[in-house]
């Protein structure tokens, strides 16, 4: 039986002296193990699994890592795998021995039956051979209680199909807390969401579901706010969003382009549980944050606007436009990626049209393209197209037409800004929003959508397209 700590690092070779401690029966002293080694340049960006023995009776594991030349940009990510092992999850078997991950955000962590450092999963400590590269302390403290999960409800509807008509719900699909590399507490993020007038939020921690197991602890702070379950799958070749994961579901992140099992197996696991796949910030500049898989065929959505509008978002919108022109009906969504003060939660806000306030309906709305993005609370819009007797809404696919159609843009809080009507030919009309209702005639296009920008061309609002098929 074994459990594994897994490390990987960025940049040059490093030496890594570290500590592992485990605790068990109070009468016994902790066992300390000091492991050290050298990571060669060839091992950079790989995952290393080092074994260590956990004797029976041990009921806590403390791991402390240290490594050299941090100032040169070295970083050593940490995580741990339990007795189930560290096999790579594939499309058939979506499980592995994951027990937590903190990447480069922490130097040490503890796991006990009752609690664990955020990002790690508390629970029984199985004896056997564990693997780690770090200083470890194995302890024998008395156990008074065991961890129990506290899931936030993924539906706030009193009964299924509670609403006769669809309504617009405001939300954020990309949020972090101390459960990975953020400093916001979960309760702070929940209150941030309330202050930004949200109906729903998705916590999406990097490569860990330990937060999803317990966010219900704080849901009473905002009984009308739906807290969805997500994971930001943080690979060495870009990040993608697994939205709507199941209870206790983890999604694999340890693969390179072309690996089998690899990216497609992991995406399959998300969809199998009813979830949705979105590619995050495809052009973000931090190391290994941009999308390196060159695969835009297996995602439902693309994060075209990540946090404060910047040139990398401009590139994401250009990429999205390319995909739309090529015939892919990918939904554009937003995410604030808020981690820590002063990051602004729900900048941007994604607004979806749904039948109910529940995770399944919200994700279904995204899959259907029933969504738009705005920068701030107090801003909202609707976008409709009249062709003949038919009226289409964002995401709708209506028969192609000859002759004229009329688009209608309804806005609140966006007056004075420029609205660009965009088709496969690009922006074909660029007009100032001077009233709450604006109409635009057009003809012979395959899709039409709207970008609303301020005087210095930063995005303030963005619709999904109406498609003519
Ligand atoms: C890590 O190693 C450095 C250099 O070897 C040392 O100065 C530092 O105190 C160590 N930190 C810990 C937490 O052991
Ligand atoms: C699935 O993976 C788990 C964890 O690695 C392992 O224990 C189990 O045997 C695997 N099941 C199959 C059918 O391969
Ligand atoms: C262990 O981690 C905590 C929080 O992440 C940090 O405050 C503390 O200094 C770390 N301990 C050591 C010995 O590095
Ligand atoms: C639902 O929409 C229909 C048609 O627009 C309208 O007549 C009805 O009053 C709406 N129901 C509710 C509960 O708003
Ligand atoms: C549009 O509406 C008119 C009048 O209501 C009707 O005569 C016509 O058949 C409709 N056209 C289509 C294509 O449904
Ligand atoms: C729309 O007009 C504004 C100025 O009025 C300009 O800054 C912007 O670049 C134009 N956008 C497009 C896509 O032409
Ligand atoms: C447009 O928005 C950007 C980013 O939100 C902001 O930095 C800029 O000052 C705004 N420009 C104007 C003219 O308001």
């Amino acid at each position: 039986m074994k459990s594994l700590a897994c490390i990987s690092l960025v940049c040059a070779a490093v030496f890594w002296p570290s500590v592992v401690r485990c605790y068990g029966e109070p009468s016994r002293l902790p066992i300390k193990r000091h492991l050290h080694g050298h990571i060669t340049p060839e091992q950079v960006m790989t995952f290393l699994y080092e074994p260590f023995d956990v004797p029976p009776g041990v009921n806590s594991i403390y791991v402390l890592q240290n490594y050299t030349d941090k100032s040169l940009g070295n970083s050593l990510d940490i995580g741990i795998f339990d007795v189930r092992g560290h096999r790579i999850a594939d499309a058939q078997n979506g499980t592995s021995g994951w027990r937590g991950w903190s990447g480069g955000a922490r130097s040490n962590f503890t796991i006990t039956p009752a609690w664990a450092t955020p990002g790690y999963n508390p629970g029984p400590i199985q004896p056997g051979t564990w693997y780690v590269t770090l200083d470890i302390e194995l302890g024998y403290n008395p156990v008074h209680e065991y961890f129990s999960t506290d899931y936030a409800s993924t539906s706030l509807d009193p009964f299924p199909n509670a609403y006769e008509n669809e309504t617009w719900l405001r939300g954020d699909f990309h949020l972090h807390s101390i459960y990975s590399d953020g400093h916001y507490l979960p309760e702070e993020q929940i209150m941030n969401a309330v202050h930004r007038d949200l109906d729903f939020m998705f916590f999406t921690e990097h490569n860990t579901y330990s937060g999803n197991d317990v966010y219900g602890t704080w849901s009473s702070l905002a009984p009308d706010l739906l807290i969805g379950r997500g994971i930001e799958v943080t690979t060495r070749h870009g990040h993608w969003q697994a939205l709507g994961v199941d209870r206790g579901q983890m999604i694999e992140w340890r693969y390179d382009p072309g690996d089998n099992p690899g990216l497609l197996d992991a995406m399959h696991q998300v969809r199998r549980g009813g979830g949705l796949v979105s590619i995050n910030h495809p052009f973000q500049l931090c190391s290994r944050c941009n999308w390196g898989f060159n695969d835009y065929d297996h995602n439902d959505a693309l994060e075209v606007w990540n946090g404060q509008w910047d040139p990398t978002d401009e590139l994401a919108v250009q990429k999205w436009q390319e995909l739309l022109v090529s015939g892919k009906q990918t939904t554009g969504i937003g995410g604030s990626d808020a981690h820590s003060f002063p990051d602004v939660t729900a900048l941007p806000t994604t607004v979806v049209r749904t039948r109910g306030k529940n995770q399944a309906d919200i994700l279904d709305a995204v899959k259907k393209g029933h969504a738009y993005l705005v920068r701030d609370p107090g801003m909202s819009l609707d976008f409709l197209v009249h062709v003949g007797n038919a009226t289409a809404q964002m995401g709708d696919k209506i028969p192609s037409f000859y002759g004229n159609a009329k688009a209608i843009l309804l806005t609140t809080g966006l007056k004075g800004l420029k609205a660009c009507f965009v088709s496969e030919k690009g922006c074909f009309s660029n007009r100032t929003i001077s009233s709450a209702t604006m109409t635009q005639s057009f003809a012979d296009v395959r899709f039409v959508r709207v970008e609303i920008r301020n005087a210095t061309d930063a995005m303030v609002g963005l619709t999904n397209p109406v498609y003519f098929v």
Side-chain angles (χ1 to χ4, degrees):
M1 293 196 289
K2 55 189 64 166
S3 176
L4 304 171
C6 135
I7 61 166
S8 65
L9 72 162
V10 193
C11 298
V14 297
F15 292 92
W16 39 271
S18 326
V19 190
V20 182
R21 277 182 292 178
C22 303
Y23 295 93
E25 293 153 31
S27 53
R28 296 168 66 178
L29 289 172
I31 303 164
K32 298 191 185 198
R33 303 237 162 84
H34 188 77
L35 302 165
H36 57 93
H38 175 220
I39 289 162
T40 64
E42 295 70 44
Q43 289 172 310
V44 170
M45 287 297 167
T46 62
F47 297 94
L48 304 179
Y49 308 93
E50 288 288 324
F52 66 98
D53 290 321
V54 177
V58 162
N59 53 33
S60 79
I61 299 177
Y62 167 80
V63 175
L64 171 68
Q65 71 157 345
N66 198 1
Y67 54 91
T68 56
D69 293 338
K70 289 178 189 158
S71 61
L72 300 181
N74 285 326
S75 84
L76 187 62
D77 290 355
I78 45 174
I80 192 161
F81 290 76
D82 72 12
V83 295
R84 291 167 297 166
H86 63 99
R87 71 193 291 282
I88 305 282
D90 60 25
Q92 279 69 47
N93 190 353
T95 61
S96 188
W98 298 298
R99 277 299 280 273
W101 176 262
S102 53
R106 296 180 191 281
S107 67
N108 65 90
F109 64 85
T110 302
I111 297 178
T112 77
W115 68 277
T117 303
Y120 291 83
N121 300 103
I125 307 291
Q126 309 283 1
T129 304
W130 293 53
Y131 287 65
V132 77
T133 51
L134 314 163
D135 273 3
I136 305 171
E137 199 166 304
L138 307 171
Y140 294 98
N141 293 326
V143 175
H144 299 298
E145 56 170 342
Y146 285 90
F147 170 73
S148 55
T149 53
D150 189 349
Y151 294 105
S153 173
T154 52
S155 173
L156 299 184
D157 296 335
F159 49 86
N161 298 317
Y163 307 107
E164 183 184 336
N165 295 332
E166 293 185 319
T167 54
W168 290 104
L169 298 182
R170 307 174 72 90
D172 191 339
F173 286 110
H174 194 158
L175 289 165
H176 297 276
S177 75
I178 57 162
Y179 278 83
S180 59
D181 58 347
H183 291 138
Y184 281 133
L185 302 171
E187 55 269 45
E188 287 176 313
Q189 282 290 41
I190 287 168
M191 294 321 291
N192 290 342
V194 169
H195 293 137
R196 296 280 293 176
D197 196 20
L198 296 194
D199 300 294
F200 68 88
M201 66 189 298
F202 279 76
F203 278 112
T204 54
E205 305 295 2
H206 299 280
N207 298 346
T208 169
Y209 64 92
S210 73
N212 290 336
D213 277 357
V214 295
Y215 290 131
T217 312
W218 300 281
S219 54
S220 62
L221 291 173
D224 295 330
L225 179 72
L226 183 93
I227 300 174
R229 277 198 292 270
I231 294 173
E232 182 169 19
V233 185
T234 305
T235 78
R236 294 296 181 219
H237 310 277
H239 303 182
W240 59 277
Q241 215 69 320
L243 295 171
V245 291
D246 212 342
R247 293 180 169 205
Q249 190 181 6
M250 182 56 200
I251 303 300
E252 186 60 75
W253 76 99
R254 298 165 293 159
Y255 37 75
D256 296 323
D259 278 1
N260 183 15
L263 176 69
L264 299 189
D265 295 79
M267 288 181 166
H268 172 82
Q269 292 294 352
V270 177
R271 291 224 184 69
R272 197 171 75 166
L276 174 151
V277 169
S278 179
I279 294 171
N280 291 346
H281 46 65
F283 297 95
Q284 193 159 299
L285 296 172
C286 73
S287 170
R288 306 284 174 140
C289 294
N290 59 312
W291 189 239
F293 284 96
N294 195 30
D295 183 332
Y296 288 93
D297 293 329
H298 299 90
N299 54 309
D300 305 286
L302 182 65
E303 188 183 64
V304 295
W305 183 351
N306 174 282
Q308 300 279 357
W309 182 261
D310 70 21
T312 68
D313 297 305
E314 200 69 67
L315 292 174
V317 168
Q318 278 171 25
K319 181 70 199 180
W320 184 43
Q321 173 73 2
E322 250 175 60
L323 296 174
L324 296 172
V325 170
S326 79
K328 285 179 192 144
Q329 294 169 347
T330 308
T331 302
I333 63 170
S336 70
D337 210 351
H339 281 72
S340 310
F341 183 82
D343 294 353
V344 182
T345 298
L347 193 172
T349 298
T350 306
V351 192
V352 302
R353 200 179 76 235
T354 86
R355 277 301 281 275
K357 198 186 278 189
N358 62 76
Q359 181 171 274
D361 278 358
I362 289 166
L363 297 182
D364 191 51
V366 172
K367 286 181 187 172
K368 290 179 170 151
H370 297 165
Y372 69 83
L373 282 58
V374 283
R375 194 186 62 199
D376 290 319
M379 297 175 171
S380 61
L381 60 81
D382 203 350
F383 179 56
L384 307 165
V385 170
H386 293 302
V387 186
N389 297 1
T391 300
Q393 310 200 50
M394 280 173 269
D396 288 353
K397 300 156 186 48
I398 60 172
S400 40
F401 66 101
Y402 300 96
N404 286 316
K406 192 169 73 175
I408 300 179
L409 180 67
L410 305 160
T411 56
T412 304
L414 297 166
K415 214 177 260 183
L417 301 171
K418 285 272 175 178
C420 247
F421 293 79
V422 181
S423 74
E424 71 275 18
K425 294 156 199 151
C427 175
F428 62 85
S429 167
N430 185 17
R431 294 163 53 202
T432 302
I433 299 174
S434 55
S435 66
T437 305
M438 185 171 174
T439 60
Q440 173 68 47
S441 297
F442 61 95
D444 302 337
V445 302
R446 289 197 283 124
F447 65 85
V448 60
R449 61 182 184 84
V450 182
E451 294 180 4
I452 298 167
R453 296 174 183 255
N454 73 7
T456 42
D457 267 351
M459 200 71 79
V460 184
L462 179 70
T463 77
N464 269 281
V466 172
Y467 300 96
F468 305 92
V469 293

